[in-house]
Amino acid sequence: TNRQNARAYEKRREDVASHFERLKTQKKCLPTLAEFRQLPIMKVMQSKPSDDILGIKTDLTNSQLVKDVLENDLAMWNERARADMATVLGFPRWKAVTKKILHPVDRLTARFKCKRCSATSAARRVKTVETLDFAAACSHSCPSLKEKLRQKHCRSKRLRGSHYV
C-alpha cells in the first residue's frame, strides 16, 4: 500500500545517505548529498522497488555493476566540476600540456569563496570569509539557507561556477 511504499522509499533514501557517508571516508572530493542523489545511478537505485526492511544497502555495497557505474558517474561529475571551477579561476577550457603542470583547481593558490555565505550580515561584520579549496567547495552547502533552498541553490549554481568567486 501507500504507507509501505513510503517506508520503502524512505529506507532507500537512508541507504543512499549511509552509502554517501561511507564514500566520504574513502574519497577526497565528493558532491553534496543532494547532488549525489541526483547522479543517474543513485536516481535509479532510489526509485528501484524494494521492501522496507532490506532496502538497497546490499546492492550498493555488494554489486560490482553498481560500484562501477557509480565510479563512472562520480568521475564524470568530478570532470564537470573541475572544468567549471577552472573557469571561475580564469582558465576556461583548460587542457594539460604535460603531467608536470597541476590543474588550476589543484594548485595551492586555488581558493574559492561562496558568494552566498560572504554576503551574510555576520560575514560582512567580521570581514573575513572562509576560503575553500576545490574539495571543500564541491561539498559546501550554505548553512544560512533553509534545507530546500540550500539544495536548490547550491546544486544549480555550483556546477555553473557562479556560486563562487
Side-chain angles (χ1 to χ4, degrees):
T1 65
N2 286 344
R3 196 173 284 175
Q4 289 173 332
N5 290 340
R7 272 196 305 251
Y9 179 71
E10 197 57 39
K11 175 67 174 151
R12 291 190 301 266
R13 287 182 59 83
E14 288 172 14
D15 289 344
V16 168
S18 66
H19 188 66
F20 175 74
E21 292 300 321
R22 217 175 6 262
L23 284 176
K24 274 175 58 174
T25 61
Q26 300 168 359
K27 296 193 179 283
K28 183 178 180 191
C29 184
L30 283 175
T32 61
L33 178 59
E35 287 177 275
F36 184 76
R37 289 184 193 280
Q38 297 302 313
L39 294 174
I41 187 66
M42 288 298 116
K43 281 184 176 179
V44 169
M45 294 304 290
Q46 288 178 132
S47 64
K48 176 184 173 187
S50 69
D51 64 24
D52 57 337
I53 298 168
L54 294 177
I56 56 172
K57 186 175 184 175
T58 55
D59 292 338
L60 290 172
T61 55
N62 297 337
S63 172
Q64 191 59 43
L65 176 65
V66 172
K67 287 180 184 178
D68 291 344
V69 173
L70 179 59
E71 280 296 319
N72 187 36
D73 285 351
L74 284 173
M76 288 173 38
W77 175 86
N78 197 351
E79 285 304 312
R80 279 195 319 268
R82 290 169 74 81
D84 290 342
M85 294 303 231
T87 301
V88 170
L89 292 173
F91 296 92
R93 297 181 297 277
W94 190 83
K95 297 285 185 207
V97 178
T98 66
K99 293 204 180 245
K100 292 181 180 180
I101 300 175
L102 279 176
H103 192 281
V105 299
D106 294 329
R107 298 175 187 168
L108 289 176
T109 57
R111 304 300 292 178
F112 302 94
K113 279 195 310 188
C114 174
K115 288 180 183 178
R116 174 74 65 155
C117 291
S118 59
T120 63
S121 60
R124 281 183 274 161
R125 276 194 311 266
V126 177
K127 297 201 188 298
T128 58
V129 178
E130 178 184 7
T131 59
L132 309 166
D133 64 351
F134 174 68
C138 287
S139 63
H140 172 74
S141 59
C142 303
S144 62
L145 294 176
K146 292 183 179 172
E147 187 64 29
K148 272 282 203 224
L149 287 173
R150 185 183 319 157
Q151 290 174 2
K152 180 182 175 192
H153 175 75
C154 292
R155 182 173 59 243
S156 64
K157 301 285 186 185
R158 178 177 294 111
L159 290 180
R160 289 196 309 267
S162 62
H163 189 72
Y164 297 100
V165 289

